């Protein structure tokens, strides 16, 4: 038996494919040469998330809560790498059709600079072997020299340039963190696969609220850099949260953007209550500083999983969710229990 799956892309294009019994939507799409957004294909990363509001389906049972929460599943969200249709279905894919026809590219990159911006954050600059046509907010999988392992990192630089940069949290004993902080040097060659992900800046048609936690600032910087190239008349406001004052990085770059972009402003928030800082607590403690109504805004949120979950809960409890809400969780590649 097979079912028809209508893949509804966000640019309005619909492509209908046949999905066999016991075949996931992702596998069926690939069989039809449609490259849906994906990364792990194992129910771990959440990259393949879409929504299904028409038809019967089995969600699959091999995914983790970080990739799809019960609340999201109850709202009709699905993971295409897990979903098994039980009837004809319509699946909305939060990506333009053009992105799904081309799929990720595999290229190489050469380190031009690697430096610690703070105790917790490393900046990596590379020269890509060719410019990647990514959307601001997207990420790549970065390889190590002489290893098949990769880690996901969001561009902090603007699209369309061969010079690319990343903000990387220095995780104690992390494999990439250790490589970057102890061994990496200019000239090292690292593989790059991408671009990937459905967290990217949509057409700016209303006020934009950006929320960044730690190195979650990276994709937000890329979005702001692209707004520098195509300025908007809509207000754009960023709340950037960290644990300690010493974790704040790229403040000069943010100030430059604020000086240059008429409608952009930002504030920083520090969790540690003993800090000498104007705004203490979590970003959700300072939502009153947002200079426009949330209900009419598009919100973009990126950071570590607990922060993303806290903000999602805040929007839920507030009863006035933003007009649209896009988020990226920096889920670890290696689950803690496996790494132990
Ligand atoms: C879509 C996506 C985009 C991402 N973009 C970025 C980015 O732009 N910048 C960035 O810094 N990270 C980003 N990450 C996270 C990144 O891919 C790595 O997981 C992270 O850098 C750790 O890699 P590592 O090799 O140093 O540690 P690993 O060797 O993978 O992990 C070592 C141990 O540390 C734990 N661990 C891993 N990450 C954390 C953490 N953040 N906090 C606490 N413990 C942790 C692991 O569970 C494991 O026990 C992204 C993740 C995803 C899914
Ligand atoms: S591709 Fe990672 S959860 Fe589906």
């Amino acid at each position: 038996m097979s079912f028809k799956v209508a893949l509804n892309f966000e640019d309005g294009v619909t492509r209908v494919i046949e999905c066999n019994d016991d075949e996931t939507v992702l596998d069926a799409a690939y069989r039809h040469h449609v490259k849906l957004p994906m990364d792990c294909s194992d129910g771990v990363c959440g990259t393949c998330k879409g929504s299904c509001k028409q038809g019967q389906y089995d969600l699959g049972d091999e995914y983790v809560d970080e990739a799809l929460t019960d609340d999201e599943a109850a709202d009709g969200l699905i993971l295409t790498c897990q979903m098994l249709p039980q009837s004809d279905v319509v699946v909305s894919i939060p990506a333009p059709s053009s992105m799904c026809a081309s799929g990720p590219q595999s290229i190489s990159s050469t380190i031009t600079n690697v430096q610690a911006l703070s105790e917790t954050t490393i900046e990596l600059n590379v020269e890509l072997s060719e410019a990647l046509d990514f959307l601001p907010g997207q990420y790549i999988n970065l390889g190590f020299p002489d290893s098949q392992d990769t880690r996901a990192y969001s561009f902090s630089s603007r699209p369309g340039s061969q010079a690319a940069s990343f903000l990387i949290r220095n995780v104690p004993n992390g494999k990439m963190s250790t490589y970057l902080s102890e061994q990496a040097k200019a000239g090292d060659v690292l593989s790059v696969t991408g671009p990937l992900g459905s967290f990217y800046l949509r057409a700016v048609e209303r006020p934009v609220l950006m929320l960044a936690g730690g190195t979650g600032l990276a994709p937000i910087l890329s979005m702001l850099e692209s707004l520098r190239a195509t300025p908007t008349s809509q207000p754009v406001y960023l709340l950037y949260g960290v644990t300690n004052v010493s974790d704040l990085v790229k403040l000069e770059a943010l100030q430059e953007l604020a000086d240059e972009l008429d409608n952009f402003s930002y504030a920083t928030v520090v969790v540690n209550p003993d800090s000498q800082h104007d705004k203490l607590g979590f970003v959700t403690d300072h939502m009153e500083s947002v200079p426009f109504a949330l209900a009419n805004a598009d919100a973009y949120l990126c950071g570590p999983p607990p922060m993303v979950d806290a903000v999602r809960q805040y929007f839920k409890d507030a009863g006035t969710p933003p007009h649209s809400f896009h988020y990226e969780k920096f889920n670890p590649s290696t689950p803690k229990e496996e790494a132990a």
Side-chain angles (χ1 to χ4, degrees), residues 151-154 167 169 171 174-177 215 330 334 336 339:
R151 295 290 182 271
Y153 294 110
S154 310
L167 292 180
R169 166 142 187 233
V171 174
K175 188 170 171 182
M176 183 61 87
S177 305
T215 52
F330 282 176
T334 327
K336 283 199 171 79

Side-chain angles (χ1 to χ4, degrees), residues 15-295:
R15 169 94 190 265
V16 180
I17 57 167
E18 287 285 329
C19 188
N20 294 325
D21 211 14
D22 277 340
E23 190 179 35
T24 66
V25 169
L26 185 72
D27 285 345
Y30 269 60
R31 203 164 42 75
H32 290 81
H33 308 291
V34 179
K35 293 169 177 155
L36 297 181
M38 59 82 76
D39 187 5
C40 67
S41 78
D42 260 332
V44 172
C45 69
T47 301
C48 68
K49 201 174 289 172
S51 69
C52 182
K53 302 281 160 86
Q54 287 178 51
Q56 312 298 315
Y57 57 89
D58 184 338
L59 275 171
D61 52 11
E62 295 198 346
Y63 62 86
V64 299
D65 194 57
E66 278 75 18
L68 186 75
T69 64
D70 291 347
D71 285 356
E72 288 176 322
D75 282 344
L77 298 194
I78 51 88
L79 299 172
T80 61
C81 76
Q82 302 296 309
M83 174 185 177
L84 301 167
Q86 310 285 298
S87 73
D88 293 351
V89 290
V90 179
V91 177
S92 297
I93 304 294
S97 56
S98 55
M99 241 179 72
C100 302
S102 61
Q105 285 172 257
S106 289
I107 60 171
S108 69
S109 66
T110 306
I111 296 182
T112 51
N113 195 31
V114 54
Q115 62 171 327
L117 298 183
S118 71
E119 244 181 59
T120 48
T121 305
I122 298 167
E123 183 170 47
L124 174 68
N125 299 98
V126 300
E127 181 75 7
L128 301 171
S129 57
E130 55 189 274
L132 273 186
D133 197 12
F134 64 92
L135 299 164
Q138 285 192 302
Y139 69 94
I140 46 108
N141 282 330
L142 187 70
F144 298 81
D146 310 320
S147 163
Q148 297 300 309
D149 265 12
T150 62
R151 295 290 182 271
Y153 294 110
S154 310
F155 288 96
S156 58
S157 50
R158 67 178 174 82
S161 167
Q162 274 180 263
S165 54
F166 306 90
L167 292 180
I168 298 178
R169 166 142 187 233
N170 194 350
V171 174
N173 303 319
K175 188 170 171 182
M176 183 61 87
S177 305
T178 304
Y179 162 68
L180 290 175
S181 55
E182 294 179 8
Q183 297 150 31
K185 57 185 184 318
D188 284 5
V189 175
L190 311 176
S191 67
V192 164
T193 306
L196 295 159
S198 50
F199 181 71
Y200 56 86
L201 186 65
R202 272 58 176 183
V204 180
E205 291 165 347
R206 54 186 69 79
V208 174
L209 172 63
M210 297 173 162
L211 301 168
T215 52
L217 183 65
I220 301 291
L221 278 176
S222 183
M223 292 178 183
L224 290 169
E225 284 297 340
S226 78
L227 286 179
R228 201 200 283 255
T230 48
T232 171
S233 57
Q234 296 288 346
V236 178
Y237 183 68
L238 163 67
L239 275 173
Y240 165 34
V242 294
T243 307
N244 292 298
V245 174
S246 58
D247 299 326
L248 289 167
V249 298
K250 288 288 173 190
L251 295 182
E252 261 180 45
L254 285 175
Q255 193 50 49
E256 238 177 63
L257 283 157
D259 291 343
E260 201 172 310
L261 299 173
D262 286 344
N263 308 306
F264 169 62
S265 55
Y266 70 98
T268 56
V269 182
V270 173
V271 176
N272 187 340
D274 300 327
S275 311
Q276 296 294 312
H277 196 74
D278 182 34
K279 288 185 166 51
L280 294 178
F282 298 103
V283 291
T284 44
D285 297 324
H286 297 280
M287 298 299 261
E288 81 291 341
S289 69
V290 180
F292 41 75
L294 197 56

